[in-house]
């Protein structure tokens, strides 16, 4: 018996829809608080931001209805076509979009404008899900893994060429999904270590104690410690661990004794130990024909090379404003009137809200426009000022329930296509939440990405809505016959 379309309202996950409705309503009120001026247009006038966002809310709800009415197979059948269309749109945007605050990411049609990068997320998730759902797919093969990465990095590169680095970094969220689908933990570990090594190298690059460059010493010691942990935990090779530990103790002890007579750069000792560890691990790999030893050795060499590339990447690849933002975030520079202005004013606004906040439309920092982008990327500071600690906590709890629910729905899917797409959705929302709240509170560099359903912007709201409800439509199809 065919599945009747009217029954979609019985099978769709209403708990997630209720969370979605709560967030878009709370987001609209927050935008009102951030952008409304008492002597200007009314909240419902579309020439103002609250009215404009309300219009986009209506459009998004219409799109929701259309998505839920479509056959679930539509998204599988046309996944590659949707992806290709969006890639063409991204490439066209590079050349056709006017300069907007240094980027070329907005296509303008009179008074109307869209940001194609917001729609590339669901298109990429669909394409990746379709490819990973192909017959006999195994992520562990080099060919499949390479094609999967190509599908993810192609839109990312296009967005970088639009000079929208923040939006491009969102695509790193797909690695969380890939880890769930069987990607080697070494790759995820390498990504986490890369961030840790970059921050540590930058933080201590100019610190010298005696003859020792502390940045290089700390990072080299971290690499060596991770190598020892991998040998102990992954390979459980007690003999190799004892040999490497003994060599480390002897080398550092010898260095300390030598330093009593002549200056010693302990970072060179640490790097020498890494070199010896690599040689020893390669020897074990050849002798035992166990590739894990060679993989650990490759990780050590790659980490060492990455450490020495940090200065080049920072000075030659990153834009000057990105360099300043990173330095301010790491406390290497104090620029309260420049790159650090947004974050400082955001902290002041959040702190001034206290426990219960100043109330709706009563925020002084937001009303006096002290916080730039307070209704877009820095919208969370408006929540903190008007609703206080309690309101901010409720918003974070709401997002937490939302993401946990997405993970639960992903786990119950009966096809790889649905599951992969679901985890991609959950990963993207988690990345946006973590980075946006982190940059507003000064925990992460300011990279300019919106808070889903809260930040002002039609493209953002519509893009997130499509991303979510495609998954809810796929989830509802589990009971179709």
């Amino acid at each position: 018996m065919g599945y009747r379309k009217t029954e979609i309202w019985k099978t769709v996950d209403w708990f997630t829809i209720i969370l979605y409705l709560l967030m878009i309503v709370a987001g609209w009120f927050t935008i009102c608080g951030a952008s409304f001026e008492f002597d200007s247009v009314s909240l419902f006038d579309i020439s103002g931001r609250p009215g404009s966002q309300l219009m986009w809310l209506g459009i998004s709800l219409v799109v929701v209805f259309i998505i839920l009415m479509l056959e679930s197979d539509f998204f599988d059948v046309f996944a590659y076509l949707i992806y290709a269309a969006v890639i063409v749109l991204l490439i066209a945007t590079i050349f056709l979009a006017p300069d907007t605050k240094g980027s070329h990411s907005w296509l303008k049609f009179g008074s109307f404008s869209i940001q194609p990068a917001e729609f590339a997320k669901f298109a990429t998730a669909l394409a990746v899900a379709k490819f990973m759902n192909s017959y006999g797919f195994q992520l562990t093969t080099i060919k499949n893994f390479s094609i999967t990465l190509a599908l993810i990095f192609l839109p990312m590169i296009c967005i970088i060429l639009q000079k929208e680095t923040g939006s491009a970094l969102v695509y790193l969220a797909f690695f969380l999904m890939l880890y769930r689908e069987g990607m080697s933990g070494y790759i995820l570990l390498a990504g986490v270590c890369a961030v840790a090594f970059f921050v540590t190298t930058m933080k201590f690059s100019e610190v010298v104690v005696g003859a020792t460059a502390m940045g290089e010493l700390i990072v080299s010691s971290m690499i060596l410690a991770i190598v020892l942990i991998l040998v102990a935990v992954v390979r459980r090779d007690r003999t190799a661990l004892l040999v490497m530990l003994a060599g480390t103790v002897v080398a550092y002890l010898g260095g300390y004794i030598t330093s009593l007579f002549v200056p010693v750069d302990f970072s060179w000792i640490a790097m020498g130990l890494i070199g010896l560890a690599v040689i020893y691990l390669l020897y074990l790999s050849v002798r035992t024909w166990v590739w894990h030893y060679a993989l650990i050795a490759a990780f050590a060499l790659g980490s060492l090379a990455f450490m020495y590339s940090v200065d080049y990447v920072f000075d030659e690849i990153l834009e000057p404003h990105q360099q300043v933002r990173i330095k301010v975030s790491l406390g290497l520079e104090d620029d309260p009137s420049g790159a650090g202005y947004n974050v400082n004013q955001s902290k002041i606004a959040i702190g001034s809200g206290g426990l219960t906040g100043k109330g709706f439309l009563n925020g002084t920092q937001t009303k006096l426009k002290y916080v730039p982008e307070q209704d877009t990327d820095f919208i969370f500071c408006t929540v903190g000022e008007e609703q206080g600690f309690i309101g901010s906590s409720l918003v974070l709890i709401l997002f937490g329930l939302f993401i946990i629910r997405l993970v639960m729905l992903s786990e119950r899917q009966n096809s790889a296509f649905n599951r992969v797409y679901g985890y991609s959705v959950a990963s993207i929302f988690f990345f946006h939440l973590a980075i946006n709240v982190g940059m507003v509170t000064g925990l992460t560099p300011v990279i300019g990405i919106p808070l889903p359903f809260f930040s002002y912007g039609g493209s953002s709201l519509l893009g997130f809505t499509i991303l979510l409800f495609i998954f809810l439509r796929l989830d509802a199809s589990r009971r179709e016959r």
Side-chain angles (χ1 to χ4, degrees):
M1 181 178 178
Y3 183 82
R4 293 184 302 172
K5 190 61 65 181
T6 54
E7 293 181 5
I8 183 67
W9 308 112
K10 296 180 181 179
T11 58
V12 71
D13 188 65
W14 281 101
F15 182 76
T16 305
I17 292 178
I18 291 172
L19 292 177
Y20 165 79
L21 293 174
L22 287 174
M23 285 190 287
I24 62 174
V25 171
W28 183 76
F29 278 105
T30 306
I31 290 170
C32 291
S35 59
F36 181 70
E37 297 178 6
F38 291 105
D39 58 350
S40 66
V41 297
S42 71
L43 292 175
F44 305 102
D45 191 323
I46 62 171
S47 63
R49 289 203 162 187
S52 176
Q53 188 74 357
L54 192 61
M55 178 191 70
W56 280 106
L57 284 174
I59 294 173
S60 296
L61 293 178
V62 172
V63 171
V64 165
F65 180 80
I66 294 173
I67 291 174
L68 294 181
M69 288 299 100
L70 289 172
E71 294 289 342
S72 60
D73 291 341
F74 173 87
F75 304 105
D76 188 357
V77 172
F78 293 99
Y80 289 148
L81 184 61
I82 294 172
Y83 178 79
V86 170
I87 292 298
V88 170
L89 189 60
L90 288 175
I91 295 173
T93 303
I94 299 172
F95 303 101
L96 300 179
D99 189 298
T100 304
K101 297 182 180 179
S103 70
H104 297 265
S105 58
W106 289 88
L107 290 176
K108 295 185 180 294
F109 307 93
S111 59
F112 175 76
S113 60
I114 63 168
Q115 188 177 24
E118 293 296 336
F119 305 103
K121 298 167 190 173
F122 77 82
T124 303
L126 284 173
V128 170
K130 183 174 179 64
F131 179 67
M132 295 180 69
N133 190 46
S134 56
Y135 179 76
F137 178 86
Q138 288 185 335
L139 187 62
T140 52
T141 65
I142 295 178
K143 177 183 177 181
N144 287 340
F145 188 64
S146 300
I147 295 175
T148 302
L149 291 184
L151 290 172
I152 294 172
F153 286 141
L154 180 56
M156 186 177 181
I157 293 170
C158 292
I159 295 171
I160 290 175
L161 293 176
Q162 297 173 7
K163 297 186 178 179
E164 276 287 344
T165 309
S167 297
L169 290 176
V170 172
Y171 287 79
L172 297 178
F174 281 96
F175 280 85
L176 297 176
M177 175 275 296
L178 292 177
Y179 180 68
R180 163 61 181 82
E181 293 300 313
M183 182 183 72
S184 172
Y186 284 118
I187 297 176
L188 195 62
L189 174 66
V192 174
C193 288
V195 175
F197 296 159
F198 182 89
V199 171
T200 305
T201 302
M202 289 300 305
K203 185 77 174 178
F204 299 97
S205 61
E206 298 181 2
V207 179
V208 178
V209 177
T212 302
M214 293 304 297
E216 295 178 357
L217 173 62
I218 295 173
V219 174
S220 298
S221 299
M222 291 169 64
I223 296 171
L224 191 60
I226 294 171
V227 167
L228 292 173
I229 292 172
L230 289 175
V231 170
V233 176
V234 178
R235 288 305 310 153
R236 297 182 181 179
D237 190 332
R238 187 175 179 181
T239 301
L241 178 63
L242 290 175
V243 169
M244 296 170 72
L245 279 175
T248 300
V249 172
V250 170
Y252 276 116
L253 183 60
Y256 172 72
I257 295 174
T258 304
S259 68
L260 298 176
F261 305 98
V262 295
V264 173
D265 187 344
F266 281 87
S267 65
W268 284 101
I269 296 177
M271 286 184 281
L273 286 170
I274 292 174
L276 292 174
V278 167
I279 295 173
Y280 181 56
L281 289 170
L282 291 176
Y283 162 74
L284 291 177
S285 181
V286 172
R287 193 189 71 176
T288 61
W289 291 102
V290 176
W291 67 276
H292 281 91
Y293 289 118
L295 199 59
I296 297 173
F299 166 80
L301 283 177
S303 298
L304 205 58
F306 178 81
M307 179 184 72
Y308 278 107
S309 70
V310 167
D311 288 337
Y312 174 80
V313 171
F314 186 81
D315 294 330
E316 302 298 332
I317 297 180
L318 295 180
E319 298 290 337
H321 69 277
Q322 295 170 334
Q323 297 174 8
V324 175
R325 286 176 179 176
I326 292 175
K327 287 183 177 180
V328 170
S329 298
L330 296 178
L332 300 175
E333 285 188 8
D334 186 17
D335 189 16
S337 61
Y341 180 79
N342 288 28
V343 175
N344 287 337
Q345 293 300 321
S346 175
K347 290 179 180 179
I348 292 171
I350 294 173
S352 67
L355 180 63
T356 58
K358 299 175 180 177
F360 180 58
L361 299 182
N362 291 325
T364 54
Q365 297 294 315
T366 50
K367 284 295 162 291
L368 295 175
K369 311 299 181 186
Y370 280 118
V371 186
E373 313 296 339
Q374 62 190 18
D375 53 0
T376 53
D377 297 340
F378 280 78
I379 190 74
F380 191 72
C381 74
T382 304
V383 178
E385 184 180 27
E386 292 192 347
Q387 309 305 325
F389 176 78
I390 293 177
S392 300
S393 299
L394 288 175
V395 169
L396 294 177
I397 291 171
L398 196 62
F399 269 107
L401 291 173
F402 177 70
I403 293 171
I404 290 172
R405 184 61 178 174
L406 291 178
V407 172
M408 292 173 61
L409 295 182
S410 301
E411 279 297 322
R412 75 182 189 184
Q413 300 307 306
N414 50 22
S415 74
F417 179 82
N418 293 11
R419 186 182 65 251
V420 169
Y421 184 84
Y423 267 101
S424 298
V425 174
S427 299
I428 290 170
F429 277 111
F430 173 76
F431 188 92
H432 269 273
L433 174 67
I435 299 300
N436 182 273
V437 175
M439 72 182 192
V440 170
T441 54
L443 297 177
T444 62
V446 178
I447 62 174
I449 63 172
L451 182 63
F453 308 128
F454 277 76
S455 294
Y456 170 79
S459 296
S460 171
L461 176 61
L462 189 56
F464 284 124
T465 298
I466 296 173
L467 177 73
L468 171 63
F469 277 89
I470 287 177
F471 178 52
L472 294 184
R473 180 64 188 91
L474 294 173
D475 175 67
S477 70
R478 292 181 308 110
R479 293 173 58 183
E480 292 186 10
R481 295 290 184 270

